[in-house]
Amino acid sequence: MNKLIDGKAIAATIHEEVRQEIKRIGGRGPSLAFLLVGDNPASESYVRAKKRACALTGITSILRTFPSSLKEMDLLAEIERLACDPSVDGVLVQLPLPPYIDETRIMCALDPEKDVDGFHPLNMGKLMRGIEGGFIPCTPLGIRELLLRSNIEISGKHALIIGRSNIVGKPLAALLMQKREGGNATVTVAHSHSQNLSSIARSADLLIAAVGKKGFVTAEMVKKGAVVIDVGIHHSSEGICGDVDFAGVAPLASHITPVPGGVGPMTIAMLLKNTLLSYKRRVMIHPDEKT
Ligand code: GUN
């Protein structure tokens, strides 16, 4: 059995599924607008990768770039314009935003029906309540998809999520405890104030590291046979690495995601799926929906 979960290969399969479905549906095809503020090199590179994936699957993408001196009201005006444009199915504001722009105000200004990132409070609320028909944030959705497509049992397992961000930790907790396939886990969310983290971590069947600290999860924190999912991305002189000390942890884990090539490509694959979903809701009478 191969313990390495190949996110790149799974994402490639999903890209192909999305491409085929877009071809089958026909019509104008889905379109996604990216709003990029400032000159954060990591954000620029993520948006480039997302745009490339759109182009390869038949999604039209629009990029609006703004200087870091952009006024919040001008960003709000652009979001309003895109909300009113019937040819746009998805709007993505790349985060982080410059500190003087109020992220919450921006997220609230998005049209929830075009919020393919799932960050609008209405979509976050739908996820919390288990209501279908919203959008689920791409990284948590990608993690669930990785687990499902790798035939990893989630139901009844103890899932520990390290990190409580709005982008990953909080929505992933809601997703893994949902009463449905890919859910029913016993979820713990740990963070920088958690005490006895190592002992909590050693009781986890499924450990998801989304802390943003390079090599934070070490072998002492992992139970033998646990499934380890690494959400971190850190650029260093030795290349890209994650929140997990891969060399130390891999021998203990039953399954583990690499960095790069694990969760990252799945985030992009889920963005394509969410954009397709938005398009289907817009152009089809009965989209056969399963998020
Ligand atoms: N910054 C880091 N991850 C994400 C993401 O999934 N979506 C957006 N919009 N910004 C991000």
Side-chain angles (χ1 to χ4, degrees):
M1 187 194 64
N2 188 0
K3 68 164 70 181
L4 201 66
I5 302 177
D6 189 346
K8 205 171 158 193
I10 297 173
T13 304
I14 295 168
H15 285 206
E16 186 52 23
E17 289 166 6
V18 169
R19 198 179 69 81
Q20 292 290 346
E21 196 169 356
I22 290 172
K23 216 165 84 182
R24 182 179 63 76
I25 297 168
R28 65 170 165 81
S31 80
L32 172 58
F34 293 94
L35 304 183
L36 179 60
V37 185
D39 44 17
N40 179 330
S43 291
E44 285 169 2
S45 132
Y46 295 145
V47 169
R48 253 196 319 276
K50 290 172 186 178
K51 276 184 75 29
R52 200 178 315 123
C54 284
L56 292 173
T57 44
I59 295 173
T60 304
S61 69
I62 308 157
L63 172 61
R64 301 258 189 273
T65 56
F66 303 96
S68 53
S69 59
L70 178 76
K71 290 196 174 64
E72 186 176 291
M73 60 182 284
D74 292 328
L75 184 57
L76 289 169
E78 184 59 28
I79 289 171
E80 178 66 28
R81 257 195 301 280
L82 292 165
C84 298
D85 185 339
S87 70
V88 172
D89 303 299
V91 176
L92 181 154
V93 179
Q94 186 64 29
L95 302 177
L97 287 165
Y100 60 88
I101 293 184
D102 184 337
E103 185 185 304
T104 303
R105 203 175 293 147
I106 299 300
M107 295 301 114
C108 290
L110 293 166
D111 175 351
E113 295 187 1
K114 297 187 179 185
D115 169 35
V116 288
D117 257 332
F119 294 163
H120 186 285
L122 184 69
N123 286 319
M124 293 193 74
K126 283 183 174 174
L127 173 60
M128 285 306 294
R129 289 200 65 112
I131 301 171
E132 299 279 331
F135 289 105
I136 296 170
C138 302
T139 301
L141 198 56
I143 292 170
R144 184 181 70 183
E145 197 69 21
L146 270 186
L147 296 169
L148 286 171
R149 292 195 188 222
S150 305
N151 295 314
I152 291 168
E153 184 65 79
I154 302 168
S155 177
K157 301 294 181 186
H158 179 203
L160 170 67
I161 302 164
I162 311 179
R164 55 179 159 180
S165 69
N166 286 315
I167 295 181
V168 184
K170 284 185 211 168
L172 182 60
L175 202 56
L176 294 180
M177 67 171 110
Q178 272 181 346
K179 244 185 194 174
R180 55 162 282 176
E181 191 198 7
N184 295 315
T186 303
V187 179
T188 302
V189 181
H191 45 75
S192 52
H193 289 245
S194 297
Q195 294 180 352
N196 308 318
L197 180 56
S198 285
S199 84
I200 297 169
R202 276 195 301 274
S203 82
D205 306 301
L206 173 57
L207 196 159
I208 300 117
V211 238
K213 289 185 185 150
K214 183 178 153 190
F216 182 84
V217 174
T218 54
E220 306 76 68
M221 299 167 74
V222 177
K223 176 166 85 174
K224 192 164 184 333
V227 175
V228 179
I229 307 290
D230 192 346
V231 184
I233 302 180
H234 308 277
H235 297 264
S236 72
S237 51
E238 304 111 68
I240 298 173
C241 59
D243 287 350
V244 175
D245 165 23
F246 187 88
V249 168
L252 287 165
S254 65
H255 297 83
I256 187 165
T257 59
V259 177
V263 173
M266 291 301 289
T267 297
I268 298 182
M270 294 300 111
L271 176 65
L272 304 175
K273 275 196 93 149
N274 277 351
T275 305
L276 171 57
L277 181 62
S278 179
Y279 175 63
K280 282 161 61 177
R281 285 175 182 163
R282 219 163 292 278
V283 302
M284 293 166 82
I285 300 167
H286 297 295
D288 96 30
E289 193 165 302
K290 199 159 180 295
T291 47

